Amino acid sequence: AQSVTQLGSHVSVSEGALVLLRCNYSSSVPPYLFWYVQYPNQGLQLLLKYTSAATLVKGINGFEAEFKKSETSFHLTKPSAHMSDAAEYFCAVTPSGGSYIPTFGRGTSLIVHP
Amino acid sequence: DTGVSQDPRHKITKRGQNVTFRCDPISEHNRLYWYRQTLGQGPEFLTYFQNEAQLEKSRLLSDRFSAERPKGSFSTLEIQRTEQGDSAMYLCASSSVDRGDEKLFFGSGTQLSVL
């Protein structure tokens, strides 16, 4: 069984500041890891994914995430926040075997102040 | 590629009524998922189809819930005898291949309110 923990239901940053959204996972087999973003009144869309090719993954809109097996973490970062980054962010894990059903974290709401 | 579409966007119903939602996945996507999302929570898996076969159902899916995907195209999710606890956003997603590293394409969801 797999699970995802996102620390902090809300993260507030100033425009131009570093964004750090935390995600820890547990999985009985090596997982695939994803970050999705949800803007108001829209469906979730993929930001980036880890598939074992490289531990540092770059995504859209300047976001990146680093897979750390020893810490079972996949934290999302962006060097400089923009007002348009305000949204809900979800970390998800899919096992590398079995039925490939993604399990999502509870989400972190990113608030960006001018 | 017109994306995943869900209908209706909003549904208000009285307790005890039946409701049905529809999802049209991206054409040619063989996997279709239903998730439920409540306020402050992430999407919770309900069920998924590979083509027309319903391969897995969550324990969250009581016997009042039924899903179909005839002919492996669109899908419907029906809730019978709705309860206030069924109020949630129902999300549909699809993917093109049977691999764990494949991303999901989500619709905008159907917001259900049970009064």
Side-chain angles (χ1 to χ4, degrees), chain B residues 47-111:
Chain B
T47 188
Y48 91 96
F49 293 82
Q50 181 142 333
N51 300 312
E52 66 277 7
Q54 187 175 19
L55 296 186
E56 192 160 332
K57 293 192 291 187
S58 163
R59 286 172 293 176
L60 292 175
L61 212 64
S62 77
D63 56 6
R64 297 184 297 105
F65 288 69
S66 62
E68 294 183 341
R69 193 184 183 195
K71 303 178 183 178
S73 56
F74 72 92
S75 176
T76 58
L77 178 67
E78 181 183 16
I79 308 174
Q80 296 183 326
R81 305 181 303 281
T82 53
E83 301 173 356
Q84 287 186 325
D86 297 331
S87 295
M89 176 74 82
Y90 289 84
L91 301 173
C92 177
S94 68
S95 67
S96 60
V97 293
D98 185 22
R99 277 201 330 250
D101 63 345
E102 182 66 14
K103 72 178 183 180
L104 301 188
F105 292 79
F106 280 85
S108 298
T110 294
Q111 181 67 54

Side-chain angles (χ1 to χ4, degrees), chain A residues 32 34 36 38 41-46 49-51 88 90 94-96 98-107, chain B residues 9-10 31 33 35 37 40-45 48 56 89 91 98-109:
Chain A
Y32 298 113
F34 305 79
Y36 286 83
Q38 186 178 31
N41 300 314
Q42 295 186 27
L44 281 75
Q45 54 186 283
L46 183 72
K49 64 180 181 180
Y50 166 75
T51 60
E88 193 81 16
F90 296 94
T94 304
S96 57
S99 58
Y100 305 133
I101 298 172
T103 299
F104 287 82
R106 63 184 299 167
Chain B
R9 289 295 304 272
H10 304 274
R31 297 196 94 181
Y33 303 77
Y35 282 83
Q37 185 179 18
Q41 300 295 322
E44 295 176 297
F45 170 74
Y48 91 96
E56 192 160 332
M89 176 74 82
L91 301 173
D98 185 22
R99 277 201 330 250
D101 63 345
E102 182 66 14
K103 72 178 183 180
L104 301 188
F105 292 79
F106 280 85
S108 298

Side-chain angles (χ1 to χ4, degrees), chain A residues 7 20-24 35 64-67 71 73-77:
Chain A
L7 296 175
L20 171 61
L21 305 182
R22 299 178 186 274
C23 173
N24 289 87
W35 276 99
E64 62 182 37
E66 185 172 9
F67 172 70
E71 299 177 7
S73 68
F74 191 56
H75 301 331
L76 182 71
T77 61

Side-chain angles (χ1 to χ4, degrees), chain B residues 3-30:
Chain B
V4 177
S5 61
Q6 293 187 244
D7 183 69
R9 289 295 304 272
H10 304 274
K11 179 70 177 180
I12 300 173
T13 191
K14 293 182 179 179
R15 189 175 52 188
Q17 298 293 304
N18 299 344
V19 295
T20 300
F21 310 141
R22 177 180 171 123
C23 171
D24 286 90
I26 293 172
S27 179
E28 307 297 324
H29 278 192
N30 62 359

